[in-house]
Amino acid sequence: MEAHEHTVQPAGSARPDPFGYSHTVTIPPGAALVVVAGQYGSAADGGVISPPFDEQVGRAFENVATALRAHGLDLGHVVQLRSYVVDHDFDKLGVVVAAVRGIWGDTAPANTVLGVARLATPDIAFEVEAIAVSP
């Protein structure tokens, strides 16, 4: 199952696609959920790859993809994201939206972006959790 197969944009709701998310996603009966813990811009040793925000965002999504491959899935199976942005502003939101649209196009998963004061360590600027569906 790919997320867009069960994405629904309710009539009368604002169009979410310019902002990189969908309003709702249904899970078919019998499907299993795979929950991916928060991934950040880390290398294999756990250290943050670099300070630039866009590089951390890109690596965080790569790390989600790596986690999903362990279950035989890919980013197309993601139905929900929850993103955390340190010192959130519209420029950073634009980076997150561009990354999401670059992966999922106009049929992104449900996504909530939260601005936070800090994450687990001072050098982490972005973290993303994911829920994927295994058919």
Side-chain angles (χ1 to χ4, degrees), residues 93-113:
L93 178 61
V95 170
V96 174
V97 170
V100 169
R101 293 192 78 192
I103 296 167
W104 290 281
D106 289 339
T107 54
N111 186 12
T112 300
V113 178

Side-chain angles (χ1 to χ4, degrees), residues 35-116:
V35 179
V36 179
Q39 300 295 305
Y40 60 99
S42 67
D45 66 1
V48 176
I49 58 161
S50 64
F53 184 75
D54 61 335
E55 292 179 25
Q56 287 196 28
V57 170
R59 179 56 71 92
F61 283 111
E62 289 174 22
N63 292 343
V64 170
T66 297
L68 292 172
R69 280 193 298 273
H71 296 272
L73 304 176
D74 60 34
L75 292 169
H77 293 92
V78 172
V79 296
Q80 183 180 17
L81 299 168
R82 185 168 294 115
S83 304
Y84 302 90
V85 178
V86 174
D87 297 326
H88 180 281
D89 61 25
F90 284 113
D91 290 336
K92 289 179 179 176
L93 178 61
V95 170
V96 174
V97 170
V100 169
R101 293 192 78 192
I103 296 167
W104 290 281
D106 289 339
T107 54
N111 186 12
T112 300
V113 178
L114 301 162
V116 297

Side-chain angles (χ1 to χ4, degrees), residues 114-134:
L114 301 162
V116 297
R118 67 185 59 86
L119 291 163
T121 65
D123 48 350
I124 300 173
F126 176 80
E127 188 169 336
V128 60
E129 301 172 356
I131 297 175
V133 173
S134 178

